[in-house]
Amino acid sequence: MLLAIDTSAGTSVAIVDRDRGMLAEHTSADTRLHAEIIGTLILRCLRDADISPSELSGVVAGMGPGPFTGLRVGIAAAETFALGITRPVVRVVSHDAIALAHYAAIGIDSTLDPGPLLVVTDARRREVYWSSFHGLDPQGVPVRVDAPGLARPDELPSVVPGFDRYPRLDAAEVSAAALGLLAERMLAGARPFAASAPLYLREADAVASTTVKRVS
Amino acid sequence: MSNSNPTPLVLGIETSCDETGIGIVRGSTLLANVISSSMAEHARFGGVVPEIAARAHLEALGPAITAALAEAGVTLDQLDAVAVTSGPGLSGALMVGVGAAKALAIALDKPIYAVNHLVGHVGADVLRDDGTTIELPTIALLVSGGHTSLLLVRDLVSDVVLLGETIDDAAGEAFDKVARLLGLPYPGGPEIDRAAIGGDPTAIRFPRALSQPKDLAKHRYNFSFSGLKTAVARWVETQRDNGVPVPVADVAASFREAVADVLLTKALNACRDFSVPRLLLGGGVVANARVRLLAAERCAAAGVELRVPPRSLCTDNGAMIAALGAQLIMRGFAPSGLDFSADSTLPVTTIRA
Ligand SMILES: [Zn+2]
């Protein structure tokens, strides 16, 4: 059983089980209240699933891409929760969970050809994050073809390889249940997880000040 | 207010500015104080960059918790509670600590105490290991790169009043800006201190803001350092325009004197006005040699007892947050609800959110 947390868009928390699927999920679409509501959402999931933290075998962190301030809250929470229960934290690209949820929703499993998919999410500042996929691998894990990347919306046709071949999915939410189920499949298939660095895909805003402005 | 634990084991998380601080206390005893600073990453920008600080918190948090547990020789399941700074501070930075603390508390099934950063600075004093205990009421002068606040503390967990604060730059920021003006690196505090050695603090009379009778009516305990910084800049520019070499030691010493003078004049005014013969210093600027010396002189002359916690407990740290959490528990206060937010402007009257 895994606790999954994603704050790359709104705040989503879920408890999933490899055999029983999703046991609980609570999601808020609000894009500013991550730190405020994350505790309550975790607690609700534990109560709905009727389990204690020590029954979990690990924690899944959605690593983005996502606008920075909120994204960090979920990753920090996933890491300390894992420390608290002395279980590992595994990291998953949030766009992969969007792709999985999409393929699942249209009823496609790994035995059919689900076709290509371009996932696009809001990066704020008039930019978007994008990832391109081509179906699921035998383990049911979405096959990411390119990115994730950051671009202005009008740049997508030129920066996404084979843009015209991809049906586009604009997603406003990431399901922590999908993130968790994806992690279960990745664990079962011994797939590599994401690295520990959050996918901000942008440098921190900062300008080095080398000169001193005159005041008189 | 029953069932209070006499010596609760508390882990404190502090992420309000550029230090990731994890502290562990048992009652009023310090067990661990691990601080990971992103200061070096801000150096080329001449001041704390909020996004850089927040990113660094996320990286430092897990390792700092693990290091603090090892230093204290305890395990997470032995904790009685988790405490966290919920404000004031940089919003994005605070959120990292708040999210982390909530998840940790739930994982451990322990209560969480969301506490005020400024009151935490005062709370640090209970951790002194010299056998003395903090006497209340006290005036507290908290000065750092992020804040300049004057408090009247009648009770650490239930009665703290903000007497005044800076209306523009924090004193620490003024040190950073004047240092840059003089071609000295960041952070400015220790650099100005070094540059001032041998300088004459009376060489240049820089202004003491909000100290004239007309200002005192409205701003008796408020500070302003923006004008001082501009005055130093103007003075230096005039020298350079006239082709006169800038006497860096004199400028540094005179600037530092103006800051220390106004800080301590107002703090001792508060001691007199409220008949409180005690002054506690906190915040990173306490590391400044001249501020400490002038505080000692002025307090001695005024018959005011001066308390300065050890330096590692004056700069931002998690131990002071854990200490304040422990005080709340020892006094039987209920924990915070799980839905508190990171509040960048949390007032000092909100000691526990
Ligand atoms: Zn501070």
Side-chain angles (χ1 to χ4, degrees), chain A residues 94-158:
Chain A
S94 304
H95 277 188
D96 293 6
I98 295 172
L100 180 71
H102 172 76
Y103 287 135
I106 59 173
I108 286 169
D109 60 36
S110 51
T111 59
L112 298 165
D113 176 10
L117 179 69
L118 179 68
V119 170
V120 178
T121 56
D122 184 14
R124 307 220 183 131
R125 299 184 202 171
R126 295 183 202 147
E127 289 184 306
V128 293
Y129 296 118
W130 64 272
S131 299
S132 58
F133 294 89
H134 198 117
L136 303 166
D137 73 8
Q139 198 64 46
V141 175
V143 179
R144 193 168 354 102
V145 183
D146 279 301
L150 176 72
R152 285 201 320 268
D154 61 347
E155 290 175 330
L156 284 175
S158 55

Short mmCIF file of all heavy atoms in Angstrom, two decimals, chain A residues 94-158:
data_model
loop_
_atom_site.label_atom_id
_atom_site.label_comp_id
_atom_site.label_asym_id
_atom_site.label_seq_id
_atom_site.Cartn_x
_atom_site.Cartn_y
_atom_site.Cartn_z
N SER A 94 4.87 13.69 -12.86
CA SER A 94 3.43 13.91 -12.76
C SER A 94 2.72 13.74 -14.11
O SER A 94 1.59 13.24 -14.17
CB SER A 94 3.14 15.31 -12.20
OG SER A 94 3.78 15.47 -10.95
N HIS A 95 3.35 14.15 -15.21
CA HIS A 95 2.73 14.00 -16.52
C HIS A 95 2.46 12.52 -16.85
O HIS A 95 1.51 12.20 -17.56
CB HIS A 95 3.62 14.61 -17.62
CG HIS A 95 3.42 16.10 -17.76
ND1 HIS A 95 3.98 16.82 -18.78
CD2 HIS A 95 2.72 16.99 -17.01
CE1 HIS A 95 3.65 18.10 -18.65
NE2 HIS A 95 2.88 18.23 -17.58
N ASP A 96 3.31 11.64 -16.35
CA ASP A 96 3.11 10.21 -16.60
C ASP A 96 1.79 9.74 -15.98
O ASP A 96 1.09 8.89 -16.53
CB ASP A 96 4.27 9.39 -16.03
CG ASP A 96 5.59 9.66 -16.76
OD1 ASP A 96 5.62 10.56 -17.63
OD2 ASP A 96 6.60 8.98 -16.45
N ALA A 97 1.48 10.32 -14.81
CA ALA A 97 0.22 9.95 -14.15
C ALA A 97 -0.97 10.48 -14.93
O ALA A 97 -2.02 9.82 -15.01
CB ALA A 97 0.21 10.51 -12.72
N ILE A 98 -0.81 11.66 -15.54
CA ILE A 98 -1.90 12.22 -16.37
C ILE A 98 -2.13 11.30 -17.56
O ILE A 98 -3.28 10.98 -17.91
CB ILE A 98 -1.54 13.65 -16.85
CG1 ILE A 98 -1.45 14.60 -15.65
CG2 ILE A 98 -2.57 14.15 -17.86
CD1 ILE A 98 -0.92 15.99 -15.99
N ALA A 99 -1.05 10.83 -18.17
CA ALA A 99 -1.18 9.94 -19.33
C ALA A 99 -1.84 8.62 -18.93
O ALA A 99 -2.74 8.13 -19.61
CB ALA A 99 0.20 9.68 -19.94
N LEU A 100 -1.43 8.09 -17.79
CA LEU A 100 -2.01 6.82 -17.34
C LEU A 100 -3.51 6.97 -17.09
O LEU A 100 -4.31 6.12 -17.51
CB LEU A 100 -1.32 6.35 -16.05
CG LEU A 100 -1.86 5.03 -15.49
CD1 LEU A 100 -1.44 3.87 -16.39
CD2 LEU A 100 -1.40 4.79 -14.07
N ALA A 101 -3.87 8.07 -16.40
CA ALA A 101 -5.29 8.30 -16.11
C ALA A 101 -6.08 8.43 -17.40
O ALA A 101 -7.21 7.94 -17.51
CB ALA A 101 -5.44 9.56 -15.25
N HIS A 102 -5.49 9.08 -18.38
CA HIS A 102 -6.17 9.26 -19.66
C HIS A 102 -6.40 7.92 -20.37
O HIS A 102 -7.51 7.60 -20.80
CB HIS A 102 -5.36 10.19 -20.56
CG HIS A 102 -5.87 10.27 -21.96
ND1 HIS A 102 -6.99 11.01 -22.28
CD2 HIS A 102 -5.45 9.70 -23.11
CE1 HIS A 102 -7.23 10.89 -23.59
NE2 HIS A 102 -6.31 10.10 -24.11
N TYR A 103 -5.35 7.13 -20.46
CA TYR A 103 -5.48 5.82 -21.12
C TYR A 103 -6.48 4.94 -20.38
O TYR A 103 -7.29 4.23 -20.99
CB TYR A 103 -4.13 5.12 -21.22
CG TYR A 103 -3.19 5.74 -22.24
CD1 TYR A 103 -1.85 5.96 -21.92
CD2 TYR A 103 -3.63 6.06 -23.52
CE1 TYR A 103 -0.98 6.52 -22.85
CE2 TYR A 103 -2.76 6.62 -24.45
CZ TYR A 103 -1.44 6.85 -24.12
OH TYR A 103 -0.59 7.39 -25.04
N ALA A 104 -6.45 5.00 -19.05
CA ALA A 104 -7.38 4.19 -18.25
C ALA A 104 -8.82 4.64 -18.48
O ALA A 104 -9.73 3.82 -18.61
CB ALA A 104 -7.02 4.28 -16.77
N ALA A 105 -9.00 5.97 -18.57
CA ALA A 105 -10.35 6.51 -18.72
C ALA A 105 -10.98 6.11 -20.05
O ALA A 105 -12.19 5.93 -20.15
CB ALA A 105 -10.32 8.03 -18.60
N ILE A 106 -10.15 5.99 -21.09
CA ILE A 106 -10.72 5.59 -22.38
C ILE A 106 -10.70 4.08 -22.54
O ILE A 106 -10.97 3.54 -23.62
CB ILE A 106 -10.03 6.30 -23.57
CG1 ILE A 106 -8.53 5.98 -23.59
CG2 ILE A 106 -10.25 7.80 -23.50
CD1 ILE A 106 -7.81 6.51 -24.83
N GLY A 107 -10.39 3.37 -21.48
CA GLY A 107 -10.51 1.92 -21.45
C GLY A 107 -9.44 1.18 -22.21
O GLY A 107 -9.67 0.10 -22.74
N ILE A 108 -8.25 1.75 -22.24
CA ILE A 108 -7.18 1.09 -22.98
C ILE A 108 -6.21 0.44 -22.02
O ILE A 108 -5.80 1.03 -21.02
CB ILE A 108 -6.44 2.11 -23.87
CG1 ILE A 108 -7.33 2.46 -25.06
CG2 ILE A 108 -5.10 1.56 -24.34
CD1 ILE A 108 -6.84 3.63 -25.84
N ASP A 109 -5.86 -0.80 -22.26
CA ASP A 109 -4.81 -1.42 -21.47
C ASP A 109 -3.64 -1.74 -22.39
O ASP A 109 -3.66 -1.39 -23.57
CB ASP A 109 -5.33 -2.66 -20.74
CG ASP A 109 -5.83 -3.70 -21.71
OD1 ASP A 109 -5.23 -3.83 -22.81
OD2 ASP A 109 -6.82 -4.39 -21.40
N SER A 110 -2.65 -2.40 -21.85
CA SER A 110 -1.42 -2.55 -22.60
C SER A 110 -1.54 -3.55 -23.77
O SER A 110 -0.63 -3.68 -24.55
CB SER A 110 -0.30 -2.99 -21.66
OG SER A 110 -0.73 -4.09 -20.90
N THR A 111 -2.70 -4.20 -23.88
CA THR A 111 -2.84 -5.16 -24.99
C THR A 111 -3.29 -4.48 -26.27
O THR A 111 -3.19 -5.04 -27.35
CB THR A 111 -3.85 -6.26 -24.63
OG1 THR A 111 -5.11 -5.64 -24.37
CG2 THR A 111 -3.39 -7.07 -23.42
N LEU A 112 -3.85 -3.26 -26.16
CA LEU A 112 -4.27 -2.53 -27.35
C LEU A 112 -3.25 -1.45 -27.67
O LEU A 112 -2.44 -1.10 -26.82
CB LEU A 112 -5.63 -1.86 -27.11
CG LEU A 112 -6.80 -2.80 -26.82
CD1 LEU A 112 -7.96 -2.01 -26.25
CD2 LEU A 112 -7.20 -3.54 -28.08
N ASP A 113 -3.34 -0.89 -28.86
CA ASP A 113 -2.48 0.24 -29.16
C ASP A 113 -3.24 1.51 -28.83
O ASP A 113 -4.20 1.86 -29.52
CB ASP A 113 -2.09 0.24 -30.64
CG ASP A 113 -1.27 1.48 -30.98
OD1 ASP A 113 -0.86 2.20 -30.03
OD2 ASP A 113 -1.07 1.73 -32.19
N PRO A 114 -2.87 2.15 -27.73
CA PRO A 114 -3.62 3.34 -27.31
C PRO A 114 -3.25 4.58 -28.10
O PRO A 114 -3.89 5.61 -27.96
CB PRO A 114 -3.23 3.49 -25.84
CG PRO A 114 -1.89 2.85 -25.74
CD PRO A 114 -1.75 1.87 -26.87
N GLY A 115 -2.21 4.51 -28.87
CA GLY A 115 -1.85 5.64 -29.70
C GLY A 115 -1.12 6.73 -28.96
O GLY A 115 -0.92 6.66 -27.75
N PRO A 116 -0.73 7.75 -29.71
CA PRO A 116 0.07 8.84 -29.13
C PRO A 116 -0.79 9.79 -28.29
O PRO A 116 -2.01 9.80 -28.41
CB PRO A 116 0.63 9.54 -30.36
CG PRO A 116 -0.35 9.26 -31.45
CD PRO A 116 -0.97 7.93 -31.15
N LEU A 117 -0.10 10.56 -27.46
CA LEU A 117 -0.78 11.53 -26.61
C LEU A 117 0.19 12.65 -26.24
O LEU A 117 1.34 12.39 -25.87
CB LEU A 117 -1.27 10.84 -25.33
CG LEU A 117 -1.99 11.74 -24.31
CD1 LEU A 117 -3.35 12.18 -24.84
CD2 LEU A 117 -2.15 11.01 -22.97
N LEU A 118 -0.29 13.88 -26.36
CA LEU A 118 0.52 15.02 -25.92
C LEU A 118 -0.15 15.61 -24.67
O LEU A 118 -1.28 16.09 -24.74
CB LEU A 118 0.61 16.09 -27.01
CG LEU A 118 1.41 17.35 -26.63
CD1 LEU A 118 2.89 17.02 -26.47
CD2 LEU A 118 1.24 18.45 -27.68
N VAL A 119 0.54 15.53 -23.55
CA VAL A 119 0.02 16.10 -22.30
C VAL A 119 0.55 17.52 -22.14
O VAL A 119 1.75 17.77 -22.26
CB VAL A 119 0.45 15.24 -21.09
CG1 VAL A 119 0.13 15.96 -19.77
CG2 VAL A 119 -0.23 13.88 -21.15
N VAL A 120 -0.37 18.46 -21.89
CA VAL A 120 0.01 19.86 -21.73
C VAL A 120 -0.60 20.39 -20.43
O VAL A 120 -1.79 20.17 -20.16
CB VAL A 120 -0.50 20.71 -22.93
CG1 VAL A 120 -0.16 22.19 -22.72
CG2 VAL A 120 0.08 20.20 -24.23
N THR A 121 0.23 21.02 -19.59
CA THR A 121 -0.28 21.60 -18.35
C THR A 121 0.20 23.04 -18.21
O THR A 121 1.19 23.44 -18.85
CB THR A 121 0.19 20.81 -17.10
OG1 THR A 121 1.62 20.73 -17.10
CG2 THR A 121 -0.40 19.40 -17.09
N ASP A 122 -0.49 23.78 -17.38
CA ASP A 122 -0.20 25.20 -17.18
C ASP A 122 1.11 25.39 -16.40
O ASP A 122 1.29 24.79 -15.35
CB ASP A 122 -1.36 25.84 -16.41
CG ASP A 122 -1.18 27.34 -16.25
OD1 ASP A 122 -0.33 27.93 -16.94
OD2 ASP A 122 -1.92 27.94 -15.42
N ALA A 123 1.99 26.21 -16.94
CA ALA A 123 3.25 26.51 -16.23
C ALA A 123 3.23 27.94 -15.70
O ALA A 123 4.23 28.41 -15.16
CB ALA A 123 4.44 26.30 -17.15
N ARG A 124 2.10 28.63 -15.84
CA ARG A 124 1.97 30.05 -15.48
C ARG A 124 2.89 30.89 -16.36
O ARG A 124 3.66 30.38 -17.14
CB ARG A 124 2.27 30.28 -14.01
CG ARG A 124 1.45 29.38 -13.11
CD ARG A 124 0.96 30.09 -11.87
NE ARG A 124 0.24 29.12 -11.04
CZ ARG A 124 0.46 28.95 -9.73
NH1 ARG A 124 1.33 29.72 -9.12
NH2 ARG A 124 -0.22 28.06 -9.06
N ARG A 125 2.80 32.19 -16.17
CA ARG A 125 3.60 33.15 -16.97
C ARG A 125 3.48 32.87 -18.46
O ARG A 125 4.47 32.90 -19.20
CB ARG A 125 5.07 33.08 -16.57
CG ARG A 125 5.26 33.45 -15.14
CD ARG A 125 6.69 33.48 -14.83
NE ARG A 125 6.89 33.32 -13.41
CZ ARG A 125 8.07 33.12 -12.86
NH1 ARG A 125 9.13 33.03 -13.61
NH2 ARG A 125 8.17 33.00 -11.56
N ARG A 126 2.26 32.54 -18.90
CA ARG A 126 1.97 32.30 -20.31
C ARG A 126 2.88 31.26 -20.94
O ARG A 126 3.30 31.37 -22.10
CB ARG A 126 2.09 33.62 -21.10
CG ARG A 126 1.03 34.61 -20.65
CD ARG A 126 1.11 35.87 -21.47
NE ARG A 126 0.51 36.97 -20.75
CZ ARG A 126 0.93 38.22 -20.85
NH1 ARG A 126 1.93 38.51 -21.65
NH2 ARG A 126 0.34 39.16 -20.18
N GLU A 127 3.20 30.25 -20.14
CA GLU A 127 3.96 29.12 -20.69
C GLU A 127 3.27 27.82 -20.28
O GLU A 127 2.44 27.81 -19.37
CB GLU A 127 5.40 29.12 -20.16
CG GLU A 127 6.25 30.24 -20.76
CD GLU A 127 7.70 30.18 -20.30
OE1 GLU A 127 7.92 30.14 -19.07
OE2 GLU A 127 8.58 30.16 -21.16
N VAL A 128 3.61 26.75 -20.98
CA VAL A 128 3.04 25.44 -20.66
C VAL A 128 4.15 24.40 -20.52
O VAL A 128 5.24 24.55 -21.08
CB VAL A 128 2.04 24.95 -21.74
CG1 VAL A 128 0.80 25.85 -21.77
CG2 VAL A 128 2.71 24.89 -23.12
N TYR A 129 3.86 23.36 -19.74
CA TYR A 129 4.71 22.18 -19.69
C TYR A 129 4.12 21.16 -20.65
O TYR A 129 2.90 21.06 -20.77
CB TYR A 129 4.72 21.58 -18.28
CG TYR A 129 5.31 22.47 -17.21
CD1 TYR A 129 4.53 22.89 -16.13
CD2 TYR A 129 6.65 22.85 -17.25
CE1 TYR A 129 5.07 23.69 -15.13
CE2 TYR A 129 7.19 23.64 -16.25
CZ TYR A 129 6.40 24.05 -15.19
OH TYR A 129 6.94 24.83 -14.20
N TRP A 130 4.95 20.40 -21.32
CA TRP A 130 4.43 19.38 -22.23
C TRP A 130 5.25 18.10 -22.14
O TRP A 130 6.43 18.12 -21.80
CB TRP A 130 4.43 19.90 -23.67
CG TRP A 130 5.81 20.17 -24.20
CD1 TRP A 130 6.52 21.33 -24.09
CD2 TRP A 130 6.66 19.25 -24.90
NE1 TRP A 130 7.76 21.20 -24.66
CE2 TRP A 130 7.87 19.94 -25.17
CE3 TRP A 130 6.51 17.92 -25.32
CZ2 TRP A 130 8.93 19.32 -25.85
CZ3 TRP A 130 7.57 17.32 -26.00
CH2 TRP A 130 8.76 18.02 -26.25
N SER A 131 4.59 16.97 -22.42
CA SER A 131 5.26 15.67 -22.55
C SER A 131 4.52 14.88 -23.61
O SER A 131 3.29 14.91 -23.66
CB SER A 131 5.20 14.86 -21.25
OG SER A 131 5.82 15.53 -20.19
N SER A 132 5.25 14.16 -24.46
CA SER A 132 4.58 13.33 -25.46
C SER A 132 4.73 11.85 -25.10
O SER A 132 5.76 11.43 -24.56
CB SER A 132 5.16 13.60 -26.86
OG SER A 132 6.55 13.35 -26.87
N PHE A 133 3.65 11.09 -25.35
CA PHE A 133 3.61 9.66 -24.98
C PHE A 133 3.20 8.83 -26.18
O PHE A 133 2.53 9.31 -27.08
CB PHE A 133 2.60 9.45 -23.85
CG PHE A 133 2.99 10.11 -22.55
CD1 PHE A 133 2.61 11.42 -22.30
CD2 PHE A 133 3.76 9.44 -21.62
CE1 PHE A 133 2.97 12.04 -21.12
CE2 PHE A 133 4.12 10.06 -20.43
CZ PHE A 133 3.72 11.36 -20.18
N HIS A 134 3.59 7.55 -26.12
CA HIS A 134 3.03 6.61 -27.08
C HIS A 134 2.62 5.33 -26.37
O HIS A 134 3.38 4.37 -26.27
CB HIS A 134 3.99 6.32 -28.23
CG HIS A 134 3.25 5.72 -29.39
ND1 HIS A 134 3.17 6.33 -30.63
CD2 HIS A 134 2.50 4.60 -29.48
CE1 HIS A 134 2.41 5.60 -31.42
NE2 HIS A 134 1.99 4.52 -30.75
N GLY A 135 1.42 5.35 -25.84
CA GLY A 135 0.85 4.13 -25.26
C GLY A 135 1.50 3.68 -23.98
O GLY A 135 2.17 4.42 -23.28
N LEU A 136 1.23 2.38 -23.67
CA LEU A 136 1.69 1.77 -22.43
C LEU A 136 2.64 0.63 -22.73
O LEU A 136 2.48 -0.06 -23.74
CB LEU A 136 0.48 1.22 -21.65
CG LEU A 136 -0.63 2.22 -21.32
CD1 LEU A 136 -1.88 1.50 -20.86
CD2 LEU A 136 -0.17 3.18 -20.24
N ASP A 137 3.60 0.45 -21.85
CA ASP A 137 4.49 -0.69 -22.04
C ASP A 137 3.81 -1.95 -21.45
O ASP A 137 2.71 -1.85 -20.90
CB ASP A 137 5.87 -0.41 -21.44
CG ASP A 137 5.88 -0.44 -19.92
OD1 ASP A 137 4.85 -0.82 -19.31
OD2 ASP A 137 6.92 -0.08 -19.34
N PRO A 138 4.42 -3.14 -21.59
CA PRO A 138 3.74 -4.37 -21.12
C PRO A 138 3.36 -4.33 -19.65
O PRO A 138 2.44 -5.02 -19.21
CB PRO A 138 4.78 -5.46 -21.39
CG PRO A 138 5.63 -4.91 -22.49
CD PRO A 138 5.67 -3.43 -22.27
N GLN A 139 4.05 -3.51 -18.87
CA GLN A 139 3.74 -3.39 -17.45
C GLN A 139 2.60 -2.40 -17.21
O GLN A 139 2.13 -2.24 -16.09
CB GLN A 139 5.00 -2.93 -16.71
CG GLN A 139 4.97 -3.16 -15.21
CD GLN A 139 4.91 -4.64 -14.85
OE1 GLN A 139 5.64 -5.44 -15.40
NE2 GLN A 139 4.00 -4.99 -13.95
N GLY A 140 2.14 -1.74 -18.29
CA GLY A 140 1.07 -0.75 -18.13
C GLY A 140 1.59 0.61 -17.76
O GLY A 140 0.85 1.45 -17.25
N VAL A 141 2.88 0.86 -18.00
CA VAL A 141 3.49 2.16 -17.70
C VAL A 141 3.53 2.99 -18.98
O VAL A 141 4.00 2.51 -20.00
CB VAL A 141 4.93 1.96 -17.16
CG1 VAL A 141 5.63 3.30 -16.96
CG2 VAL A 141 4.90 1.16 -15.86
N PRO A 142 3.02 4.24 -18.93
CA PRO A 142 3.03 5.07 -20.13
C PRO A 142 4.45 5.24 -20.69
O PRO A 142 5.40 5.41 -19.93
CB PRO A 142 2.49 6.42 -19.64
CG PRO A 142 1.65 6.07 -18.44
CD PRO A 142 2.36 4.91 -17.80
N VAL A 143 4.55 5.16 -21.99
CA VAL A 143 5.85 5.29 -22.65
C VAL A 143 6.04 6.73 -23.06
O VAL A 143 5.41 7.22 -24.01
CB VAL A 143 5.92 4.37 -23.89
CG1 VAL A 143 7.29 4.53 -24.57
CG2 VAL A 143 5.68 2.92 -23.50
N ARG A 144 6.90 7.44 -22.31
CA ARG A 144 7.14 8.86 -22.62
C ARG A 144 8.12 8.93 -23.78
O ARG A 144 9.18 8.31 -23.76
CB ARG A 144 7.67 9.59 -21.39
CG ARG A 144 7.64 11.08 -21.56
CD ARG A 144 7.87 11.89 -20.27
NE ARG A 144 7.94 11.15 -19.05
CZ ARG A 144 9.10 10.87 -18.43
NH1 ARG A 144 10.25 11.24 -18.96
NH2 ARG A 144 9.08 10.21 -17.30
N VAL A 145 7.75 9.69 -24.80
CA VAL A 145 8.60 9.79 -25.97
C VAL A 145 9.56 10.97 -25.85
O VAL A 145 10.75 10.84 -26.05
CB VAL A 145 7.74 9.95 -27.25
CG1 VAL A 145 8.64 10.00 -28.49
CG2 VAL A 145 6.74 8.81 -27.37
N ASP A 146 9.03 12.13 -25.51
CA ASP A 146 9.88 13.31 -25.38
C ASP A 146 9.50 14.13 -24.15
O ASP A 146 8.38 14.06 -23.67
CB ASP A 146 9.72 14.22 -26.62
CG ASP A 146 10.56 13.73 -27.78
OD1 ASP A 146 11.78 13.64 -27.63
OD2 ASP A 146 9.95 13.40 -28.83
N ALA A 147 10.51 14.93 -23.69
CA ALA A 147 10.36 15.91 -22.62
C ALA A 147 10.21 15.24 -21.26
O ALA A 147 10.69 14.13 -21.13
CB ALA A 147 9.22 16.85 -22.95
N PRO A 148 9.66 15.83 -20.20
CA PRO A 148 8.85 17.06 -20.21
C PRO A 148 9.65 18.31 -20.57
O PRO A 148 10.84 18.41 -20.29
CB PRO A 148 8.33 17.15 -18.77
CG PRO A 148 9.11 16.21 -17.96
CD PRO A 148 9.81 15.27 -18.87
N GLY A 149 8.93 19.24 -21.21
CA GLY A 149 9.55 20.49 -21.61
C GLY A 149 8.69 21.68 -21.25
O GLY A 149 7.55 21.53 -20.81
N LEU A 150 9.28 22.85 -21.44
CA LEU A 150 8.60 24.11 -21.14
C LEU A 150 8.58 24.95 -22.41
O LEU A 150 9.60 25.06 -23.08
CB LEU A 150 9.36 24.85 -20.03
CG LEU A 150 8.88 26.24 -19.62
CD1 LEU A 150 7.58 26.14 -18.83
CD2 LEU A 150 9.95 26.94 -18.78
N ALA A 151 7.42 25.50 -22.75
CA ALA A 151 7.35 26.30 -23.98
C ALA A 151 6.20 27.28 -23.93
O ALA A 151 5.28 27.11 -23.12
CB ALA A 151 7.16 25.37 -25.19
N ARG A 152 6.26 28.29 -24.78
CA ARG A 152 5.08 29.14 -24.97
C ARG A 152 4.09 28.32 -25.79
O ARG A 152 4.51 27.52 -26.64
CB ARG A 152 5.45 30.42 -25.73
CG ARG A 152 6.19 31.45 -24.89
CD ARG A 152 6.06 32.84 -25.54
NE ARG A 152 6.17 32.78 -27.00
CZ ARG A 152 7.31 32.93 -27.67
NH1 ARG A 152 8.44 33.15 -27.01
NH2 ARG A 152 7.33 32.87 -28.99
N PRO A 153 2.78 28.50 -25.58
CA PRO A 153 1.81 27.68 -26.31
C PRO A 153 2.01 27.72 -27.83
O PRO A 153 1.91 26.69 -28.50
CB PRO A 153 0.46 28.31 -25.92
CG PRO A 153 0.71 28.94 -24.58
CD PRO A 153 2.14 29.40 -24.60
N ASP A 154 2.34 28.91 -28.36
CA ASP A 154 2.49 29.00 -29.82
C ASP A 154 3.78 28.36 -30.33
O ASP A 154 3.97 28.18 -31.53
CB ASP A 154 2.39 30.47 -30.27
CG ASP A 154 3.48 31.34 -29.66
OD1 ASP A 154 4.15 30.87 -28.70
OD2 ASP A 154 3.69 32.48 -30.13
N GLU A 155 4.66 27.99 -29.41
CA GLU A 155 5.91 27.34 -29.82
C GLU A 155 5.77 25.83 -29.94
O GLU A 155 6.65 25.17 -30.49
CB GLU A 155 7.02 27.59 -28.78
CG GLU A 155 7.55 29.00 -28.69
CD GLU A 155 8.55 29.11 -27.54
OE1 GLU A 155 8.41 28.38 -26.53
OE2 GLU A 155 9.45 29.94 -27.65
N LEU A 156 4.68 25.27 -29.36
CA LEU A 156 4.55 23.82 -29.29
C LEU A 156 4.76 23.11 -30.63
O LEU A 156 5.49 22.12 -30.70
CB LEU A 156 3.20 23.42 -28.67
CG LEU A 156 3.09 23.58 -27.15
CD1 LEU A 156 1.66 23.29 -26.68
CD2 LEU A 156 4.08 22.67 -26.43
N PRO A 157 4.13 23.60 -31.71
CA PRO A 157 4.31 22.89 -32.99
C PRO A 157 5.77 22.78 -33.41
O PRO A 157 6.16 21.81 -34.06
CB PRO A 157 3.52 23.76 -33.98
CG PRO A 157 2.51 24.47 -33.14
CD PRO A 157 3.19 24.73 -31.82
N SER A 158 6.58 23.75 -33.04
CA SER A 158 7.98 23.68 -33.46
C SER A 158 8.87 22.96 -32.46
O SER A 158 9.91 22.41 -32.85
CB SER A 158 8.51 25.10 -33.72
OG SER A 158 8.32 25.91 -32.58
#
